[in-house]
Amino acid sequence: MGLQAPRGTRDILPAERVYWQYLETTARQILDRAAYREICTPIFEYTSLFERGIGEATDIVSKEMYTFSDRAQRSLTLRPEGTAGVVRAYIEHGLHSQGGVQRLWYLGPMFRYERPQAGRYRQFHQLGVEVLGSADPRADAEVIAVALEILQALGLKELTLMLNSVGDREDRRAYRQALVDYLTPYTADLDPDSQDRLHRNPLRILDSKDPRTQAIVKEAPRLLDYLSPQSRHHFEQVQSLLQDLGIRYQINPALVRGLDYYTHTAFEFQDLSLGNEGTVCGGGRYDHLVEELGGPATPAIGWAMGLERLILLLRERPLPPRAEPYFYMVTRGEAAERQGLILAQQLRRQGYTVEVDLSGSAFAKQVKRADRVGATVCLVIGESEATERTVQVKWLASGEQVLVPQQELLGENWRSRFFASA
RNA sequence: GCGAGCGUAGCCAAGUGGUUAAGGCAGUGGAUUGUGGUUCCACCAUUCGUGGGUUCGAGUCCCAUCGCUCGCCCCA
């Protein structure tokens, strides 16, 4: 076993890829209907974009990035998430000047240097949306609704929406101080990670899993009590809109996103069947990021889904079966082989899927292979058919077989028959 | 980054120091040179992730290394 894909990376083979295709077409359709448009940004960016955007104190930036220098000594980083790049493109191309709200979505690989685990890789894939240019709570409700539509369309059932508000920058600053003031006397009782965060990133202490820390945090001041009237109003609006949409949620005051840029609404969808790695979609509002990166003041909100985890869930269920005929071309003898190749091409132009057997082995083997690949109809051209320009049409499921002139197959009569039997 | 377990063929595996490494699935060929899903037969690991060590002898013990899994951490 000399060759190995690098740690934390893996190949997605055709048998698994069909699940990815299903996921992508399902998501694409829902996003399209909600008027979101696809954007592609580079896989790597200047390192400073992520340092400024995500926050230098975050774990992602401080220890999980794939950073390298190119030949001209520029510091580049493989993107660890999608938002920073999309915002950079939004500013660079002046998308704000197109007026109105920009609804964007993206799908692609992201890179983080983490310990691999089930459903967690160093190269992983995210699907995400960003809505730029609206501070309206309806935008919050809309992106949450779109995420839910996608997750439900994929068949996820045990979904919980966790909701919180982290307030605006001023609210958070005040709260942060109150939290540090409260926690400082307990410093020695906190777990080491939390002690470390006390001055670097104290909000993250709220979702520590350490039991002693949790007990201390339980009595800590609550972020929700520090929200300004405006922040509180926004949060209440979002909740009321979700209720209008019939979307159930659970308020979780400890829900703190790992990236610095979030403001106001923070949310997560969790699927209970995934246990510890149950977060399947996470997002929130980031009203100052565009401005902080040098663009015009632009409120925004978005989310990202980790696709590996979704694929894990999808693979537990069978995919809807192919609803179109699949032809398998079986030939024998040089004349038949040539005719089979031509007929296959003609059938493909009619919109059929056709696989040509190239093995040159006995009929029995070829038909067996047709069966194996799940073909619906087997087309057989032997020596006598080649002379007559005919073809044996054999339905694999029933075994029924008829002899017809090759060109007749391309007509409309056969089309309806083939689709009916698929 | 920390703790634990694991690593035998494309896949699932038996094997717990003693001569030639079970079995199953898949694959290939044949029984059946013009027709599949059943059956039968044959073939399919000079080698046990990799490197080193202990031993008369190692897939089995030891060390290192790579990878995977689980938990922590982090996050999607």
Side-chain angles (χ1 to χ4, degrees), chain A residues 326 328 367 370-371 374-379 394-400:
Chain A
Y326 188 109
Y328 195 89
V367 175
D371 194 48
T376 46
V377 172
C378 192
L379 300 175
K394 179 189 178 94
W395 277 266
L396 273 313
S398 63
E400 182 197 353

Side-chain angles (χ1 to χ4, degrees), chain A residues 99-158:
Chain A
V101 173
Q102 289 282 323
R103 290 183 173 86
L104 303 170
W105 70 270
Y106 60 84
L107 169 63
M110 308 291 163
F111 305 83
R112 285 183 206 171
Y113 191 89
E114 295 179 284
R115 189 79 182 246
Q117 244 168 67
R120 185 172 104 181
Y121 298 88
R122 290 180 172 180
Q123 175 176 341
F124 60 102
H125 296 79
Q126 284 189 340
L127 165 69
V129 307
E130 313 294 349
V131 174
L132 297 128
S134 173
D136 195 307
R138 284 180 299 163
D140 305 45
E142 178 183 293
V143 295
I144 289 172
V146 167
L148 183 59
E149 286 296 310
I150 291 171
L151 294 170
Q152 284 177 338
L154 293 173
L156 275 67
K157 296 216 164 57
E158 300 175 77

Side-chain angles (χ1 to χ4, degrees), chain A residues 286-421:
Chain A
Y286 51 95
D287 286 343
H288 306 295
L289 180 61
V290 179
E291 192 173 9
E292 276 164 19
L293 288 177
T298 307
I301 183 165
W303 51 251
M305 289 184 186
L307 301 189
E308 274 75 6
R309 287 178 193 175
L310 289 178
I311 293 290
L312 229 46
L313 293 171
L314 279 184
R315 294 188 75 172
E316 290 168 8
R317 282 185 294 277
L319 243 28
R322 155 192 292 273
E324 290 181 1
Y326 188 109
F327 291 119
Y328 195 89
M329 182 70 71
V330 171
T331 55
R332 183 159 178 86
E334 199 191 326
E337 286 168 3
R338 287 173 178 276
Q339 289 177 23
L341 198 64
I342 294 166
L343 183 58
Q345 177 77 326
Q346 292 170 327
L347 285 165
R348 289 175 187 139
R349 287 184 180 145
Q350 300 294 313
Y352 296 113
T353 303
V354 190
E355 176 174 349
V356 174
D357 190 298
L358 299 172
S359 70
S361 45
F363 276 130
K365 293 281 180 235
Q366 296 192 50
V367 175
K368 190 172 185 167
R369 230 166 266 132
D371 194 48
R372 225 153 290 133
V373 300
T376 46
V377 172
C378 192
L379 300 175
V380 183
I381 305 177
E383 271 137 37
S384 55
E385 289 84 2
T387 330
E388 304 163 4
R389 303 270 162 176
T390 54
V391 54
Q392 299 279 1
V393 179
K394 179 189 178 94
W395 277 266
L396 273 313
S398 63
E400 182 197 353
Q401 181 170 318
V402 290
L403 182 67
V404 295
Q406 289 173 17
Q407 295 307 305
E408 204 177 283
L409 280 192
L410 305 171
E412 279 307 309
N413 289 348
W414 283 93
R415 184 175 188 81
S416 46
R417 232 182 125 175
F418 287 135
F419 271 89
S421 63

Side-chain angles (χ1 to χ4, degrees), chain A residues 210-227:
Chain A
D210 182 83
R212 284 183 73 186
T213 303
Q214 276 195 333
I216 295 166
V217 160
K218 212 169 165 200
E219 306 300 322
R222 289 160 48 101
L223 178 47
L224 290 177
D225 298 328
Y226 282 75
L227 296 187

